[in-house]
Amino acid sequence: NISKDCYIGPFNSIGDNTIINDKVFISSNISIGNNVEIGEGSKLHPNVSVGNDVIIGKNCEIFSNASIGTDGFGYAQDSNEEWNKIPQIGSVIIRDNVDIGANTTIDRGAIDNTIINSGVKIDNQVQVGHNCYIDENTIIAGQVGIAGSSILGKNVKIGGQAGISGHLKIGDNVEIAGGSGVIKDISDNSKVMGYPAKNIRQFLKDNK
């Protein structure tokens, strides 16, 4: 299921039942798992890793050393205080026109899928935890960390080195300043800054 109208470079590994559509560009030293689909016109740079069952949409670009579909960080402690790994059986779905920066990691879902919607732009060295949902046209700067099961709305803008705790809901059109720590839900159209993140005007007032 590999189109004749695509480019596949040297030293790549492609799993079973994988579909590579027209005009896809696959550079070198890339690992692609089983049951993967890569949409028309997408481009993978060297050393990218794509796990099993991942779906990548049309016209996406994934930069060097990004890892898509790694296991989420799921463990349970037993009576002996030892950590046992919880199988991560979800996957990652990336819609159309998504860019993913170098050394960024997007974890597969524990049960449901991790979903990156169309038009999302992610910078280098970003961590997206398992079961996250990132809606359309959100942009995320470098070194941002998003913990598992958080939901980001449409047109969210996140500055570099911001952190978002798990199981939070970030509304549409939210702006999060660089270095902020988000530990509670944020409503639509908010602008926040600081740790813990608060309304940017209030933050500036408190820190004159």
Side-chain angles (χ1 to χ4, degrees), residues 57-77:
K58 298 178 181 178
N59 301 313
C60 295
E61 188 163 12
I62 302 176
F63 289 88
S64 297
N65 300 301
S67 185
I68 313 300
T70 48
D71 277 0
F73 192 68
Y75 295 88
Q77 199 168 28

Side-chain angles (χ1 to χ4, degrees), residues 79-98:
S79 57
N80 296 319
E81 298 187 346
E82 295 178 350
W83 292 102
N84 298 304
K85 186 173 178 57
I86 299 170
Q88 305 291 291
I89 61 173
S91 192
V92 177
I93 298 175
I94 297 172
R95 308 294 190 193
D96 300 339
N97 304 307
V98 172

Side-chain angles (χ1 to χ4, degrees), residues 3-208:
S3 169
K4 294 180 180 179
D5 186 22
C6 67
Y7 172 82
I8 298 179
F11 310 116
N12 294 309
S13 172
I14 300 174
D16 295 333
N17 303 313
T18 285
I19 299 171
I20 299 176
N21 285 289
D22 294 346
K23 300 178 182 178
V24 169
F25 181 94
I26 294 176
S27 187
S28 58
N29 298 302
I30 292 171
S31 174
I32 299 173
N34 300 322
N35 308 309
V36 170
E37 181 171 0
I38 301 176
E40 180 179 338
S42 288
K43 183 175 183 179
L44 276 62
H45 291 263
N47 303 310
V48 167
S49 174
V50 180
N52 294 336
D53 307 306
V54 169
I55 297 175
I56 298 171
K58 298 178 181 178
N59 301 313
C60 295
E61 188 163 12
I62 302 176
F63 289 88
S64 297
N65 300 301
S67 185
I68 313 300
T70 48
D71 277 0
F73 192 68
Y75 295 88
Q77 199 168 28
D78 63 21
S79 57
N80 296 319
E81 298 187 346
E82 295 178 350
W83 292 102
N84 298 304
K85 186 173 178 57
I86 299 170
Q88 305 291 291
I89 61 173
S91 192
V92 177
I93 298 175
I94 297 172
R95 308 294 190 193
D96 300 339
N97 304 307
V98 172
D99 289 351
I100 297 170
N103 296 296
T104 284
T105 57
I106 300 178
D107 291 347
R108 67 193 312 108
I111 298 175
D112 297 325
N113 296 320
T114 300
I115 298 177
I116 313 295
N117 252 337
S118 296
V120 170
K121 310 299 180 186
I122 300 177
D123 196 4
N124 303 332
Q125 296 182 315
V126 171
Q127 157 70 9
V128 179
H130 58 187
N131 299 105
C132 285
Y133 180 92
I134 301 178
D135 214 341
E136 296 174 0
N137 299 320
T138 285
I139 190 163
I140 301 170
Q143 297 186 329
V144 166
I146 304 171
S149 299
S150 282
I151 298 172
L152 278 62
K154 298 177 181 178
N155 303 308
V156 174
K157 300 177 181 69
I158 306 176
Q161 294 190 325
I164 297 174
S165 296
H167 301 270
L168 297 183
K169 184 174 182 180
I170 310 301
D172 295 342
N173 307 307
V174 167
E175 297 182 19
I176 299 171
S180 297
V182 179
I183 59 174
K184 61 181 180 180
D185 293 350
I186 301 177
S187 58
D188 293 351
N189 306 308
S190 298
K191 296 181 180 181
V192 300
M193 185 175 187
Y195 185 87
K198 62 177 74 173
N199 177 278
I200 193 166
R201 291 189 178 187
Q202 186 63 48
F203 176 85
L204 295 171
K205 181 179 179 180
D206 294 343
N207 291 274
K208 284 185 177 180

